[in-house]
Amino acid sequence: MGFATLVLSIAVVWALAYWGAGTGVWVAALAALLAVTTIGTELSGWVVVPLWTVAAAAVLLLGVPAIRRRYITAPLFHQFRKVMPPMSSTEQEALEAGSVWWDAELFTGKPDWQRLLNMPKPHLSAEEQAFIDNETEVLCSLLDDWRITHEDRDLPPEAWRYIREKGFFGLIIPEEFGGKGFSALAHSEVVMKIASRSVTAAVTVMVPNSLGPGKLLLHYGTREQKQHYLPRLAQGDDIPCFALTGPDAGSDAGAIPDRGEVCYGDWQGKRELGVRLNWEKRYITLGPVCTLLGLAFKLYDPDHLLGEQTELGVTLALIPRDTPGVQIGERHIPLDIPFQNGPNEGHDVFIPMSQLIGGSEYIGQGWRMLVECLAEGRGISLPALSVGAGKTVSRFTGAYAAIRRQFNMPIGRFEGIQEPLARIAALTYQMDAARTLTLGALDIGEKPSVISAIVKYHLTEKYRRCINDAMDIQGGSGICLGPSNLLGRAYQAIPIAITVEGANILTRSMIIFGQGAVRCHPWVLKEFQAVQNPDRKRGLADFDHAIFGHVGFVLGNVARSLFLGLTRGRFTRSPVQGPTRRYFQQLNWMSAAFALSADVAMMTLGGALKRKERLSARLGDVLSELYLTSSVLKRFEDQGRPEEDLPLVQWACENSLYRMQESLRLLFRNLPFRPLAWLLRLVVFPTGSPYTEPSDLVDRDAAQLVMTPGAARDRLTQGIYIGHEHHSRQADYERAFAHAARVEPIEKTLRDAKHAGLLRSKHAADRIDEAIEQGIITQEDADALIEMQALRRDVIMVDSFPDYGKQYARQPKGSKKPAIYAV
Ligand SMILES: Cc1cc2nc3c(=O)[nH]c(=O)nc-3n(C[C@H](O)[C@H](O)[C@H](O)COP(=O)(O)OP(=O)(O)OC[C@H]3O[C@@H](n4cnc5c(N)ncnc54)[C@H](O)[C@@H]3O)c2cc1C
């Protein structure tokens, strides 16, 4: 009876924690258990009386709010106030910017999958689709990337003209201001397609539609500012840039030394109240050609012309290029990707208050404005560029692996090549899934700052992985630059994508989990706000609610993690049946494991977790992989579960689950409180570590998908530039690839005949003649084989240059070092 009662007690406690029972249910259930124990085990009065006394005391202490607050919550509250890391207003604004969405669901430890699957699949309007099929296609055809990157070091004038005239700079500006008013999805599709043709052009189009004057004016501009500037930006009459970064403020952009002082000055012949500015900025995209400069600076009011306060905080302004004192510098060379980029300075530049974005009302709000806009823009531009690169290499490097032959076989038949090729294909599938899911969220009005950081970081990193793999597969044809090279510039561009819009190491180490832990966790932000509440009484009451909610949440995740760990996720709910069912179940397990591990790390390290960047990064990795895998499963459902795509789904899910497991294991290995880390590991992985990287067979199938013409390959690479109608390198690959598939059976017939000893000629050309003579193949087959040789040669040939030495020996123009570098 004693043993049975013990088992029953454990089962009840476990179930209550697992289902997150409320205080009343806990009290009732524990009282019932105590009663069963008392009666069933015939305990002596010496045991029963203290047992019931302790139970009654616990009920009083925990169940009566006034007592609980006084004896438990208040001491905790004071302790929290002491240990809570002090937070600058900049950090606080950054933390509170944007919204939370599916990321918060992943933090619960029991995501509601139906909510994700019910979300409508994002789609393009007819007008958006037409712009992509027509104007964007034409723009791509105007771009000769070799000429742009090697000869002109700029877009051709006709492309600049076309971009401005056709409204590429006004994709996000509403129609009422003369812009396109496109959805986030359409904006992304345009950038993705251009990126698959020319990174230089993609960056040029991307920047005015991302963080810059256009977006800032849309969100915060005064009516007059919107009416004046938005139509000019939409039509390309003004070319914008946005200048935040300077020599002393890169990642730590809040530390900008650039200054504005409130004063009176002359503006267009009138004396006005305004700001005198001094700044030094660098790396500014479109800076050299801009006509309208968006500027971030710190505003001061030393003469108190606006009020009592002297330091007013980060503020944003619009500076016309021709304003006296503005100096637009020369051009930087960002790794041979010659989009316009350079430094600029301002010396005693005077602007009236009406040039501050949002006017006086938004003085000092600049940091929040930037972070909010970044929460949106970061989820669009660089992810689109990265997916453009992933799709390009999936399609063309996949084709190359089918066309290029070594050891008498297409190189894609070798397992060594299948491994990186599968990775390219499946990571592209995953990147595109995450891109579209995020765009769907943006298009329903979310501003998910944590998710946009996840996609910025992970998609640019996967772009790096894919392009490196493609380089390995294509060997010399990827390395030798020239008009025939499809990979070189995308390879050179990767550090730019990694560095801009939040450098990746910083994003992984500080932002993803750092922001996610506070924003997405169901209780932490509430605790945080309660502790910082200047109204102590209200703060204590809120804290009491949050801290006990948090305790229940942790207990629930302990119970869930252990149960799911023991069963490896089986017996949990999946919203679907079939081949992806187990992945949903495994994600339930990993979500609970993540939520518990995050809480243990936060509870044991507190504010010190901010400095333990590698622990924070690993937790961020798990959260990110949960998001990426969710997006893969959602895409598979949205696309009607096409069976041919399963190798990609399988690869992406298995790889992500393995990475989650390894990140958690490394986290446990490095948590400073060792006994707790061991315990945590036991709870999360009670039956060992089940996940491995995808198998060789999955690799083979995933690689085969991009070496075979058909719907799956087209679906994977949909939306990139191919240029069938124009002469392009991409079209050369397409022709050779399609032909390779046609001649494959003929080549097999020849191979079989050779193995059977029917063909004895040593050379391929002689063997074809011999096969015709013997009636093994027809003349038509032979012609197809000969054509294949020509097409194959066309694809594998690389460029060579007679004037290489001269080109590169040329001295850079303007080699004088600007003052900006004289540090
Ligand atoms: C081609 C190009 C275009 C750009 N366009 C613009 C533009 O239009 N407008 C604009 O304002 N800016 C622009 N930038 C600036 C860009 O946003 C910055 O380069 C970026 O913020 C990083 O600053 P940094 O290069 O000075 O690197 P640093 O800040 O010096 O960082 C160096 C390294 O340290 C890491 N790091 C920094 N702090 C931490 C930390 N706490 N923990 C871990 N790692 C950390 C970073 O991740 C990075 O890896 C552009 C930059 C480039 C290269």
Side-chain angles (χ1 to χ4, degrees):
M1 184 65 186
F3 180 70
T5 314
L6 184 67
V7 172
L8 176 71
S9 308
I10 292 173
V12 169
V13 169
W14 195 346
L16 291 176
Y18 190 99
W19 298 113
T23 323
V25 180
W26 272 101
V27 170
L30 292 181
L33 263 183
L34 215 50
V36 169
T37 312
T38 310
I39 299 160
T41 52
E42 293 166 4
L43 295 173
S44 80
W46 290 107
V47 178
V48 171
V49 174
L51 204 61
W52 278 94
T53 312
V54 169
V59 166
L60 270 181
L61 211 53
L62 294 171
V64 180
I67 301 179
R68 184 180 66 221
R69 276 183 206 161
R70 177 147 186 205
Y71 294 103
I72 302 182
T73 315
L76 276 176
F77 183 69
H78 297 304
Q79 192 57 26
F80 257 68
R81 281 178 80 98
K82 263 196 246 154
V83 299
M84 203 67 120
M87 195 177 271
S88 66
S89 58
T90 309
E91 278 178 301
Q92 191 147 354
E93 281 167 10
L95 271 179
E96 287 172 11
S99 60
V100 294
W101 176 64
W102 182 246
D103 40 351
E105 202 62 58
L106 293 170
F107 242 102
T108 60
K110 41 179 177 183
D112 176 359
W113 295 109
Q114 208 52 56
R115 185 180 160 209
L116 182 75
L117 297 187
N118 287 347
M119 187 180 148
K121 180 181 155 190
H123 70 278
L124 297 168
S125 69
E127 191 202 334
E128 291 170 339
Q129 187 65 61
F131 188 83
I132 291 159
D133 294 343
N134 302 310
E135 282 89 339
T136 313
E137 183 78 15
V138 172
L139 174 61
C140 288
S141 71
L142 294 176
L143 303 170
D144 171 347
D145 204 41
W146 180 245
R147 209 183 114 193
I148 293 168
T149 54
H150 187 70
E151 291 163 14
D152 299 348
R153 313 260 201 257
D154 196 1
L155 300 182
E158 60 274 19
W160 272 111
R161 205 165 28 245
Y162 195 79
I163 286 172
R164 293 164 79 159
E165 280 173 11
K166 296 294 174 185
F168 281 89
F169 284 157
L171 299 177
I172 57 163
I173 296 177
E175 284 170 290
E176 59 175 304
F177 296 109
K180 297 276 165 212
F182 279 176
S183 61
L185 177 66
H187 171 186
S188 165
E189 293 282 324
V190 172
V191 172
M192 183 180 78
K193 185 163 184 168
I194 303 173
S196 68
R197 178 69 164 156
S198 161
V199 174
T200 309
V203 174
T204 305
V205 167
M206 189 165 108
V207 166
N209 290 297
S210 184
L211 179 62
K215 189 168 275 282
L216 290 163
L217 285 175
L218 269 177
H219 286 282
Y220 312 102
T222 61
R223 205 162 54 88
E224 294 75 28
Q225 287 172 343
K226 285 183 184 170
Q227 276 168 354
H228 178 73
Y229 283 115
L230 289 179
R232 295 182 56 75
L233 289 167
Q235 286 146 24
D237 296 337
D238 262 328
I239 299 203
C241 71
F242 190 77
L244 169 66
T245 308
D248 295 316
S251 301
D252 187 10
I256 38 173
D258 311 292
R259 252 182 107 84
E261 284 187 8
V262 179
C263 64
Y264 281 93
D266 288 335
W267 177 256
Q268 295 168 352
K270 275 201 226 150
R271 186 172 157 75
E272 287 201 39
L273 182 66
V275 179
R276 189 168 310 285
L277 289 156
N278 284 283
W279 76 83
E280 186 188 24
K281 302 287 189 184
R282 64 174 177 179
Y283 305 154
I284 308 307
T285 302
L286 295 188
V289 293
C290 77
T291 59
L292 185 66
L293 196 134
L295 186 80
F297 59 93
K298 284 194 179 144
L299 185 61
Y300 299 85
D301 184 12
D303 299 329
H304 300 285
L305 299 174
L306 296 178
E308 292 296 298
Q309 226 175 316
T310 308
E311 294 185 15
L312 302 177
V314 176
T315 302
L316 312 180
L318 294 172
I319 323 278
R321 181 192 177 109
D322 54 10
T323 312
V326 174
Q327 280 179 19
I328 300 293
E330 295 169 328
R331 283 178 66 183
H332 300 309
I333 305 177
L335 284 171
D336 276 353
I337 310 297
F339 54 87
Q340 296 283 338
N341 183 281
N344 61 64
E345 295 174 33
H347 299 285
D348 288 335
V349 176
F350 179 79
I351 52 160
M353 286 299 184
S354 58
Q355 290 300 118
L356 300 182
I357 298 181
S360 314
E361 204 186 310
Y362 280 91
I363 284 176
Q365 307 268 328
W367 190 245
R368 182 177 61 80
M369 292 153 77
L370 290 177
V371 176
E372 268 176 10
C373 287
L374 196 62
E376 231 175 299
R378 190 170 50 185
I380 302 176
S381 313
L382 292 159
L385 192 111
S386 304
V387 178
K391 289 187 173 188
T392 302
V393 295
S394 290
R395 191 160 186 103
F396 300 112
T397 301
Y400 187 87
I403 297 164
R404 172 68 169 163
R405 294 174 76 93
Q406 289 292 281
F407 305 99
N408 277 329
M409 284 229 273
I411 56 169
R413 292 256 184 86
F414 299 114
E415 286 197 346
I417 292 289
Q418 284 169 3
E419 184 184 351
L421 196 53
R423 196 158 47 222
I424 289 175
L427 290 181
T428 300
Y429 185 91
Q430 191 178 47
M431 283 200 271
D432 203 24
R435 178 185 73 100
T436 34
L437 182 62
T438 308
L439 296 170
L442 293 173
D443 279 334
I444 55 170
E446 296 289 346
K447 286 186 189 158
S449 52
V450 176
I451 287 177
S452 66
I454 290 175
V455 290
K456 190 280 157 170
Y457 172 77
H458 283 272
L459 271 51
T460 51
E461 289 294 337
K462 288 180 198 324
Y463 159 22
R464 166 147 68 186
R465 181 74 253 192
C466 286
I467 200 81
N468 273 316
D469 279 336
M471 277 289 183
D472 291 355
I473 293 172
Q474 293 212 203
S477 70
I479 293 164
C480 291
L481 286 174
S484 306
N485 187 319
L486 276 182
L487 302 182
R489 294 307 186 205
Y491 177 78
Q492 281 178 299
I494 191 59
I496 302 171
I498 297 286
T499 299
V500 300
E501 296 201 351
N504 274 12
I505 296 179
L506 169 91
T507 304
R508 173 171 180 253
S509 314
M510 280 185 89
I511 309 289
I512 297 178
F513 183 74
Q515 205 168 11
V518 180
R519 287 308 309 276
C520 308
H521 191 287
W523 298 107
V524 168
L525 186 60
K526 292 189 179 104
E527 287 161 358
F528 217 81
Q529 286 166 337
V531 168
Q532 310 235 329
N533 195 336
D535 175 352
R536 287 229 175 176
K537 208 167 158 209
R538 182 74 251 159
L540 183 65
D542 292 348
F543 186 73
D544 178 69
H545 173 69
I547 200 80
F548 282 96
H550 197 157
V551 169
F553 177 71
V554 173
L555 289 177
N557 280 322
V558 171
R560 282 178 66 74
S561 296
L562 187 56
F563 176 72
L564 297 174
L566 286 169
T567 58
R568 297 196 166 177
R570 287 186 182 83
F571 315 118
T572 54
R573 253 183 276 160
S574 158
V576 300
Q577 294 302 318
T580 52
R581 183 175 138 266
R582 280 293 288 142
Y583 297 133
F584 281 102
Q585 293 181 323
Q586 283 160 334
L587 288 186
N588 286 337
W589 174 18
M590 286 299 109
S591 169
F594 163 71
L596 177 63
S597 307
D599 264 320
V600 170
M602 285 191 283
M603 283 189 293
T604 50
L605 285 157
L609 186 54
K610 197 169 151 184
R611 290 185 299 279
K612 294 298 244 174
E613 287 192 344
R614 298 194 67 188
L615 299 182
S616 172
R618 289 178 187 121
L619 284 163
D621 289 346
V622 183
L623 176 63
S624 304
E625 294 295 345
L626 282 167
Y627 181 72
L628 295 171
T629 321
S630 307
S631 70
V632 164
L633 295 173
K634 163 86 171 138
R635 175 189 171 109
F636 185 64
E637 295 301 315
D638 279 352
Q639 294 195 330
R641 318 178 114 223
E643 209 168 311
E644 316 98 284
D645 291 1
L646 272 174
L648 302 179
V649 174
Q650 211 174 337
W651 196 103
C653 291
E654 286 176 10
N655 180 56
S656 285
L657 285 164
Y658 174 69
R659 292 169 75 95
M660 286 179 226
Q661 169 188 287
E662 295 307 296
S663 297
L664 285 170
R665 275 159 45 103
L666 276 173
L667 174 81
F668 303 155
R669 200 167 154 200
N670 289 285
L671 276 175
F673 299 91
R674 300 311 302 147
L676 198 57
W678 294 325
L679 201 62
L680 187 58
R681 187 182 166 154
L682 199 69
V683 170
V684 169
F685 293 119
T687 58
S689 314
Y691 300 122
T692 61
E693 288 186 321
S695 72
D696 298 353
L697 284 182
V698 175
D699 273 357
R700 185 200 62 193
D701 293 346
Q704 194 54 43
L705 191 142
V706 285
M707 288 193 296
T708 314
R713 175 176 179 260
D714 291 343
R715 209 168 24 247
L716 178 68
T717 60
Q718 206 229 333
I720 56 168
Y721 178 75
I722 294 176
H724 288 299
E725 295 89 39
H726 311 281
H727 178 74
S728 70
R729 191 63 179 148
Q730 287 91 333
D732 294 345
Y733 271 64
E734 285 293 287
R735 266 191 301 278
F737 179 64
H739 202 69
R742 269 200 299 281
V743 299
E744 205 195 323
I746 313 171
E747 287 178 336
K748 183 169 183 316
T749 307
L750 280 187
R751 252 195 331 270
D752 291 348
K754 189 176 165 227
H755 285 150
L758 300 174
L759 299 174
R760 294 177 189 283
S761 305
K762 285 236 161 26
H763 296 292
D766 298 339
R767 251 195 321 273
I768 292 175
D769 292 340
E770 205 184 340
I772 298 173
E773 272 166 32
Q774 295 193 34
I776 296 171
I777 58 171
T778 63
Q779 182 60 47
E780 206 184 326
D781 292 341
D783 292 344
L785 287 174
I786 290 162
E787 191 186 346
M788 186 64 230
Q789 282 169 3
L791 290 170
R792 179 175 291 123
R793 187 173 163 77
D794 201 18
V795 164
I796 64 174
M797 290 311 285
V798 300
D799 305 291
S800 49
F801 299 89
D803 61 348
Y804 169 77
K806 275 188 240 147
Q807 286 270 357
Y808 280 82
R810 206 162 54 197
Q811 285 300 312
K813 272 207 272 171
S815 56
K816 140 185 114 64
K817 282 201 171 173
I820 228 165
Y821 293 110
V823 183

